[in-house]
Amino acid sequence: MLESPAVRSPRAFVPPLLPALAALACACGGPDQRPAEWAYIHAAIVVPSCASATCHSNGTRAGGLTFEDRAETHRSWLGEPYVSPGDPNSAILYLLEGRERDLMPPSAPLPPADIEFIRRWIVEGAAP
Amino acid sequence: MSIRPLLAPALTLVLAAWSGAAEAYPHFQLSSDVAICQSCHVAPAGGGLLTDFGRDQSEDPLSGGGNGGLLHGLVRLPAWASVSGDVRLAGVANAAGRAEGLEVLAFPMQADLSARLGTDLVSAVGSVGLRSLARRPPVQSGSVASADPAPVVSREHYVIYRPAKTPFYVRAGRFFAPYGLRVADHTAYVRRHLGFDLEEEPYGLSGGAVSEEWEAHATGYVRDPLHAGGPAELGGAALGELRVGPAAIGLSARAGFTRLDRRFEGGPYAKLWIEAAHLLLMAEADGVYQRFSIPGAPSRVQLAAYGGPVWMPVRGLSVGAAYQAFLEDLAVAGTGRHAVDLWASYLPISHVEVMLSTRAQRIGTDTAWYALLQLHYFL
């Protein structure tokens, strides 16, 4: 499970532009220490990348699938099954990597680090 | 396992991702006869329906000539009404990510009608367009019940009030809050990743002032989860722009609150017109701070940037290049994407545009590219 929230530092609210520009200058970033938890993956990757208005939103439901709700998305991913818990070659990864041409998202592929992040969650059991 | 059943949804999403909406061309600011977006557009911050003056500009200097009036001047409407429309046909060659082979597609990209009814003081503005002309994919077995998305959508509809002889306005309805450069391409990183992608227009109440030297806009909005995708969002945005000679500099900020996160974004943008070279330089950089409503989840800082020149050597021809970046999480290596765009747009006469655009992307360690040809006609 995720840890309890830390006490919020005032520095967390520093205007984001300066650190962002500094990071662009070095284009750096460290090893992936994000929590391989479904709640985080859904909020940080699935919703902004997949649940856009013209794709898997409640309004469009491309292919009959909506990814806006966390629990419903988990059910549909495991129910199809796009995700087989423990299987590092789950179908969802074929889609995200475009291994058989049908890349998802089609015109804005996920960075490989995000795909590996999702693979880690699947290998660790794909818990909801 | 076979994933063939998933091919059709993928194709549909390709087409949906490229479908378009009527937008402004921000490189026409400063490079044409005017520096104020609302001189040519009904909307106070540009985009969409043209004013009569905007139609005149579409004849000269922005195209090779012709008559910019409705249906080439064949129809004249009373002053209380304006009507326009946009039709785009497109062809795309797409080599995305690790996908094998090259996708070549041709499809109707846009079919919109827009109108304004009212006076200089108060008017109602709206557009209706086909939502998607892509082939309909089969519903996945075992998936949730699918409701057919409406075949038409109104991406914008609002009422605007402009007190006479003042720079002020108030508008309410569905529209994008003025933010950043407002580039026409909704797949530009500063749009797609900052909440300004296709059909993401929220409902809002906006007020501001527009003058020759400066403009300011403030918007409060509610993002409609039924139409805009993603969770319901309550937020606000502000933009200020100052124009000095051939330059414009601006600052934008936006804050959004959903059940999933709190998101703060903002940054500067600028344009510089170099008359001697017929060259417009423009750039935008935005930082994003996102805090998730998940106990213990790390917050993240993102960066979106866009910048490059647009060269307009002769009437009707614009040639542009741009570098783009979106760093999804500055704390995690390999989550960034960078792109180089090259494009050319030619308006041989008013109403008609041919545009070729290409984008090469570096996403993490992968590369992707596409080329898109558009044929655009506006009424």
Side-chain angles (χ1 to χ4, degrees):
Chain A
M1 291 295 292
L2 296 166
E3 296 174 357
S4 300
V7 176
R8 203 172 298 163
S9 163
R11 284 182 299 175
F13 297 96
V14 167
L17 187 60
L18 292 179
L21 290 175
L24 179 67
C26 60
C28 52
D32 193 346
Q33 297 181 331
R34 295 176 290 181
E37 301 278 353
W38 174 243
Y40 182 80
I41 290 172
H42 179 258
I45 298 176
V46 176
V47 169
S49 302
C50 311
S52 58
T54 54
C55 299
H56 297 295
S57 63
N58 288 337
T60 299
R61 292 180 181 262
L65 298 171
T66 174
F67 295 159
E68 290 195 13
D69 180 78
R70 181 192 307 168
E72 184 178 336
T73 305
H74 188 270
R75 275 196 299 274
S76 69
W77 280 28
L78 269 70
E80 283 296 332
Y82 295 110
V83 170
S84 302
D87 182 2
N89 292 310
S90 291
I92 191 76
L93 299 168
Y94 276 73
L95 288 169
L96 297 176
E97 294 176 337
R99 279 194 239 167
E100 293 189 13
R101 191 172 172 179
D102 50 337
L103 183 70
M104 289 282 183
S107 62
L110 292 183
D114 282 352
I115 298 173
E116 290 309 309
F117 182 44
I118 293 171
R119 190 191 311 277
R120 179 154 58 95
W121 166 71
I122 293 172
V123 168
E124 292 177 3
Chain B
M1 68 178 290
S2 170
I3 58 173
R4 287 289 164 195
L6 306 176
L7 287 172
L11 181 59
T12 295
L13 293 179
V14 168
L15 302 187
W18 267 295
S19 58
E23 300 287 356
Y25 292 170
H27 55 281
F28 288 158
Q29 185 194 25
L30 303 176
S31 63
S32 62
D33 295 339
V34 291
I36 303 175
C37 297
Q38 72 170 16
S39 297
C40 294
H41 293 275
V42 171
L49 192 63
L50 294 174
T51 62
D52 289 344
F53 181 76
R55 286 185 174 277
D56 290 343
Q57 289 284 297
S58 77
E59 300 169 7
D60 182 8
L62 299 180
S63 77
N67 186 320
L70 179 61
L71 292 171
H72 302 266
L74 294 176
V75 177
R76 287 189 65 84
L77 296 177
W80 50 267
S82 305
V83 173
S84 189
D86 292 85
V87 177
R88 286 179 200 259
L89 304 176
V92 63
N94 182 39
R98 302 178 195 177
E100 297 174 2
L102 180 70
E103 289 175 303
V104 179
L105 307 165
F107 58 98
M109 186 179 189
Q110 180 184 15
D112 283 351
L113 275 174
S114 50
R116 177 195 66 86
L117 296 174
T119 65
D120 289 342
L121 194 67
V122 181
S123 58
V125 180
S127 71
V128 177
L130 295 182
R131 191 155 194 268
S132 172
L133 298 178
R135 70 182 68 168
R136 191 164 172 272
V139 174
Q140 299 305 297
S141 60
S143 65
V144 296
S146 175
D148 285 339
V152 297
V153 63
S154 175
R155 299 182 180 95
E156 281 198 331
H157 42 264
Y158 57 84
V159 175
I160 184 164
Y161 169 66
R162 289 184 169 103
K165 299 179 180 177
T166 79
F168 302 107
Y169 77 89
V170 177
R171 69 169 162 167
R174 189 180 190 199
F175 54 88
F176 275 129
Y179 186 98
L181 284 172
R182 289 151 277 164
V183 295
D185 179 0
H186 68 88
T187 69
Y189 295 169
V190 290
R191 286 196 51 182
R192 167 170 279 169
H193 299 293
L194 296 182
F196 299 92
D197 203 350
L198 197 64
E199 296 184 22
E200 291 187 344
E201 290 90 345
Y203 283 91
L205 176 64
S206 183
V210 179
S211 74
E212 286 288 336
E213 297 81 18
W214 60 272
E215 62 188 79
H217 309 270
T219 308
Y221 66 85
V222 177
R223 195 169 184 224
D224 175 3
L226 291 179
H227 300 100
E233 178 180 340
L234 181 66
L239 176 148
E241 181 176 305
L242 183 65
R243 291 180 280 272
V244 180
I249 55 173
L251 195 63
S252 311
R254 194 172 83 131
F257 305 87
T258 77
R259 60 180 168 77
L260 295 179
D261 66 355
R262 283 166 286 167
R263 187 180 166 92
F264 305 90
E265 61 192 42
Y269 67 92
K271 296 179 187 178
L272 175 64
W273 170 243
I274 304 171
E275 175 68 34
H278 297 275
L279 195 68
L280 183 83
L281 307 178
M282 56 184 182
E284 176 180 346
D286 298 281
V288 180
Y289 174 78
Q290 187 176 24
R291 189 173 187 88
F292 295 99
S293 305
I294 303 168
S299 56
R300 65 182 177 185
V301 175
Q302 304 177 317
L303 179 72
Y306 179 98
V310 181
W311 182 44
M312 287 164 272
V314 295
R315 274 177 59 179
L317 178 63
S318 303
V319 181
Y323 163 76
Q324 300 188 66
F326 177 64
L327 307 184
E328 176 189 288
D329 189 334
L330 295 185
V332 181
T335 56
R337 61 186 71 214
H338 303 261
V340 173
D341 290 5
L342 297 172
W343 59 269
S345 165
Y346 182 53
L347 293 90
I349 59 169
S350 180
H351 298 274
V352 177
E353 179 188 20
V354 181
M355 183 172 187
L356 177 65
S357 54
T358 64
R359 175 173 299 164
Q361 300 184 84
R362 182 78 172 166
I363 303 169
T365 54
D366 291 342
T367 57
W369 67 269
Y370 70 76
L372 178 69
L373 178 65
Q374 299 176 48
L375 304 177
H376 175 207
Y377 179 82
F378 78 90
L379 296 179

